[in-house]
Amino acid sequence: MPSQLPLHARATTRWLVAFLSLIVLLVGIGVRRSSYGSSGHCRSIPGDVSWPNSADWDSLNQTVHGKLVATIPIAASCHHSAEEGSSTFNQEACDALRDEWFFPTTHLDSPSSPMAYQFTNNSCNPFLDSDAPCTLGYHVAYTVNATTASDFQAAVQFVKRHNLRLVIRNTGHDYLGKSTGAHALAVWTRHMKDMELIPEYQDEHSEYRGPAIRMGAGVEGLEAYKFASSHGLMVVGGNCPNVGLAGGYIQGGGIGILSSKFGLAADQVLAWEVVTAAGDLVTGSSTENADLFWALRGGGGGTYGIVVSMTVKAFTDTFFSTAYMSVFNDGNNTDAIYSAMGTFFQSLPDLVDAGAWVVWVAAPFGFMIMPVMVGDMHAPELDAHLKPTTDKLDQLGVQYQYSSAEYPDFLSSYNSMPAIWNVSDHHLGGRLIPRELVQDQDSTDALVNAVRAISSQALMSGVSFNVANAVSSPDDVAANPYFRKTIFSAVVGMPVNYTDWAANKVAQDHITNNLLPELQSLTPNGGVYLNEADFQAPDFKTTFYGSHYEKLLAIKKKYDPDEIFYTKTGVGSDRWEERTDGRLCSV
């Protein structure tokens, strides 16, 4: 039998073991901290040791005063088998949901339902058989229904403590899968609705002197329009009434109804309030955190911090005119329609230079202008701008419907538009089309041929504007510099197939590999509006961000060194991959 060590030797041994154990623990902690975002590191998913237990989630819920929401997919009523094992099937509720599924209001009140269904991984599909399983899939796991900056701060600290994926969700309008993510904790900004009028904005370092509006992160377009109108003002925003302005819309650049008069929505921001990856509440302006202020104005949403509020320029209201036109393809007038479209394209520079916002649609069913909207222009003058197009249609003997009207202010003009805003149920791709392509006949003919090749097999739309002179330099804000030479943003769409999941990949690949190249060949070294883009784009760094990418990447590394903020196609996102089980891992 071995002899025992002397007492003092045993004490020394225990001390040495304890010391070595401490060193191992400290090294382990150091490795864990240093690997947060390093190569090969993955965010936690259920089943991992680091995944929060029920006590952890309860603690977070207490911290945010009961505003933590566990995800139950809104289509659970269409399935017998929900994730928790209990039946949630309700035929009446399911039928009602299916009728309303395609509209934004169906998803707005949900903290987790992706409007872009293709980013759910076909989980809890309301159009599948009721015996198909209803799982979380690529839905977020939990959501903080944030109403204060402290809610954001609590969420940031929680994901850092437990190595979780973080998702920022505003209203959920999203074509690129940025507002959802498997196994993630989301922060939902939609209910941050405060608005404040600033009659005369004062900042000695800003050239702007005039009214401004401070609005919370969750304020939607129509809410902002109504508030501004009540004060005799208007603000730059989009055409969809329930898109959150301060979220991905403005942070992605923001093409707006008033863009030809005042610039991109991102050009209007005077200041941000932001919670950073460090959990700090900071101001971004021309004098405070100026680099962050710059990046948030067009450098992509969900990438640099969580916006609490923003302050934007507001402008004196005025009268507006609108015009609509529709031409239906009867199978015999196809050549004539596209010939007239060329005339219409060549009329766009004068229209947008006069301050107009022009939306058009081309598809197998025909060609529509829906609408032209312009301030400080009477209807007869607007008719004159479109007369070359209507004259061309008359000359070719093509039947069409045309109407125009005049309104006393922005809001009444906006409210006159048909309420046809649909959910993001299309696969998408886009391209910014430069003005030079409509300035001579050969270029215009080539553009029309490309549009015809696309719109004969898919839905195509264009939003026309001029933001060339809205800033002193394209580098004043982070938005893609290519905007400043653009005559319209072209978007290509193919519908989502809810009953054939494999067909959706085929459709998106068709956009990527066949349809978009028609426009790309005309626009070498071109650009894309990152909010209406192909998420499969291999060259997103250059086409989405242009020459600003490297500067944006440096700013991201400064404010988000641990890469907490990930979004598909966002700055720095190429360092990460989403695996088939939804796990987010660095590469």
Side-chain angles (χ1 to χ4, degrees):
M1 182 175 179
S3 60
Q4 289 188 332
L5 290 172
L7 184 61
H8 70 278
R10 280 182 279 161
T12 301
T13 301
R14 287 197 298 270
W15 179 87
L16 181 60
V17 170
F19 177 74
L20 290 175
S21 298
L22 179 61
I23 293 297
V24 170
L25 177 62
L26 291 174
V27 169
I29 291 172
V31 168
R32 179 176 180 183
R33 287 179 176 170
S34 65
S35 68
Y36 194 92
S38 63
S39 178
H41 179 73
C42 296
R43 296 288 182 246
S44 299
I45 67 173
D48 290 350
V49 173
S50 54
W51 182 258
N53 58 36
S54 58
D56 295 324
W57 291 114
D58 288 344
S59 176
L60 174 61
N61 191 36
Q62 291 175 12
T63 302
V64 298
H65 307 290
K67 288 178 281 190
L68 183 67
V69 183
T71 295
I72 299 175
I74 63 172
S77 62
C78 295
H79 299 271
H80 289 291
S81 135
E83 187 141 282
E84 297 300 321
S86 58
S87 177
T88 53
F89 182 74
N90 182 315
Q91 188 66 61
E92 184 178 353
C94 180
D95 291 343
L97 178 68
R98 287 172 175 171
D99 289 342
E100 300 294 328
W101 181 264
F102 307 100
F103 298 97
T105 49
T106 303
H107 305 267
L108 286 174
D109 290 333
S110 167
S112 57
S113 182
M115 288 194 192
Y117 171 76
Q118 56 269 41
F119 297 105
T120 67
N121 199 32
N122 205 27
S123 57
C124 208
N125 181 342
F127 298 98
L128 294 183
D129 187 87
S130 59
D131 289 328
C134 173
T135 65
L136 289 186
Y138 285 6
H139 292 74
V140 299
Y142 290 86
T143 299
V144 175
N145 182 10
T147 57
T148 66
S150 63
D151 294 333
F152 293 159
Q153 292 169 318
V156 166
Q157 297 304 334
F158 190 82
V159 299
K160 290 168 70 175
R161 187 179 311 121
H162 295 281
N163 184 35
L164 300 181
R165 180 176 179 178
L166 179 68
V167 165
I168 304 169
R169 176 187 175 94
N170 193 329
T171 58
H173 285 274
D174 175 21
Y175 291 106
L176 287 91
K178 296 182 177 183
S179 59
T180 191
H183 319 301
L185 172 65
V187 288
W188 192 22
T189 70
R190 184 176 179 237
H191 295 108
M192 303 181 75
K193 301 288 193 182
D194 290 346
M195 283 184 276
E196 175 191 359
L197 174 67
I198 303 172
E200 185 73 18
Y201 183 78
Q202 298 290 336
D203 184 337
E204 60 182 294
H205 299 282
S206 172
E207 296 179 0
Y208 180 73
R209 293 290 182 273
I213 296 174
R214 179 188 176 277
M215 59 182 74
V219 172
E220 299 166 22
L222 183 55
E223 293 168 341
Y225 297 156
K226 288 180 176 179
F227 181 83
S229 180
S230 70
H231 297 282
L233 301 168
M234 53 188 181
V235 294
V236 177
N239 59 336
C240 184
N242 42 47
V243 167
L245 296 187
Y249 168 69
I250 284 184
Q251 292 177 53
I255 300 171
I257 297 170
L258 300 176
S259 283
S260 293
K261 289 184 73 69
F262 303 115
L264 296 171
D267 298 336
Q268 317 308 319
V269 182
L270 298 165
W272 304 93
E273 284 185 299
V274 186
V275 170
T276 67
D280 299 326
L281 176 61
V282 303
T283 296
S285 68
S286 59
T287 56
E288 297 181 73
N289 302 297
D291 50 357
L292 181 62
F293 173 58
W294 180 85
L296 288 169
R297 290 181 295 158
T303 304
Y304 313 97
I306 311 174
V307 168
V308 177
S309 72
M310 66 177 182
T311 302
V312 298
K313 300 173 186 175
F315 304 94
T316 302
D317 208 348
T318 187
F319 67 93
F320 279 77
S321 292
T322 63
Y324 293 82
M325 189 183 78
S326 58
V327 187
F328 292 101
N329 191 329
D330 61 12
N332 299 311
N333 60 2
T334 306
D335 290 342
I337 288 175
Y338 285 101
S339 177
M341 197 180 298
T343 301
F344 168 72
F345 285 163
Q346 290 183 331
S347 73
L348 288 175
D350 285 344
L351 263 172
V352 297
D353 290 353
W357 169 72
V358 187
V359 181
W360 56 269
V361 173
F365 59 73
F367 173 63
M368 304 175 72
I369 301 171
M370 50 177 294
V372 179
M373 184 168 165
V374 57
D376 295 315
M377 181 183 290
H378 294 290
E381 187 180 354
L382 177 54
D383 296 338
H385 277 283
L386 291 168
K387 193 172 189 300
T389 302
T390 56
D391 283 350
K392 184 70 171 179
L393 290 167
D394 289 335
Q395 175 191 333
L396 294 169
V398 177
Q399 292 187 339
Y400 62 92
Q401 292 77 43
Y402 177 86
S403 64
S404 63
E406 196 167 313
Y407 299 90
D409 53 37
F410 173 85
L411 187 60
S412 58
S413 177
Y414 177 83
N415 285 334
S416 73
M417 291 192 291
I420 58 173
W421 312 119
N422 213 335
V423 76
S424 310
D425 59 344
H426 278 72
H427 305 287
L428 215 70
R431 195 76 173 178
L432 295 176
I433 304 303
R435 178 181 285 242
E436 64 195 44
L437 287 186
V438 299
Q439 290 183 325
D440 65 76
Q441 194 60 49
D442 287 344
S443 296
T444 302
D445 289 344
L447 177 60
V448 170
N449 288 338
V451 171
R452 182 170 185 169
I454 295 168
S455 61
S456 63
Q457 52 189 312
L459 180 70
M460 184 175 181
S461 68
V463 178
S464 309
F465 55 90
N466 175 12
V467 295
N469 301 313
V471 289
S472 59
S473 164
D475 299 326
D476 284 357
V477 300
N480 194 333
Y482 207 89
F483 275 121
R484 309 303 169 178
K485 60 191 295 185
T486 295
I487 189 67
F488 65 80
S489 175
V491 174
V492 178
M494 297 189 72
V496 169
N497 189 323
Y498 287 93
T499 57
D500 185 350
W501 181 248
N504 292 303
K505 174 63 174 170
V506 173
Q508 188 66 54
D509 286 347
H510 186 53
I511 292 172
T512 303
N513 301 323
N514 301 313
L515 300 184
L516 286 180
E518 296 282 352
L519 299 175
Q520 292 163 353
S521 65
L522 301 178
T523 56
N525 303 311
V528 173
Y529 177 28
L530 66 83
N531 284 337
E532 298 177 349
D534 175 10
F535 73 90
Q536 296 186 148
D539 55 353
F540 75 89
K541 291 183 183 180
T542 53
T543 56
F544 290 22
Y545 303 96
S547 58
H548 292 161
Y549 186 84
E550 292 303 324
K551 181 178 178 181
L552 287 166
L553 183 60
I555 293 169
K556 178 171 178 60
K557 288 179 177 178
K558 174 183 175 182
Y559 287 95
D560 186 19
D562 291 328
E563 300 181 62
I564 293 170
F565 302 118
Y566 164 85
T567 61
K568 192 184 297 290
T569 71
V571 169
S573 62
D574 58 317
R575 282 185 29 82
W576 295 85
E577 66 176 3
E578 297 180 59
R579 298 183 177 174
T580 55
D581 62 356
R583 187 191 287 269
L584 185 65
C585 297
S586 60
V587 295

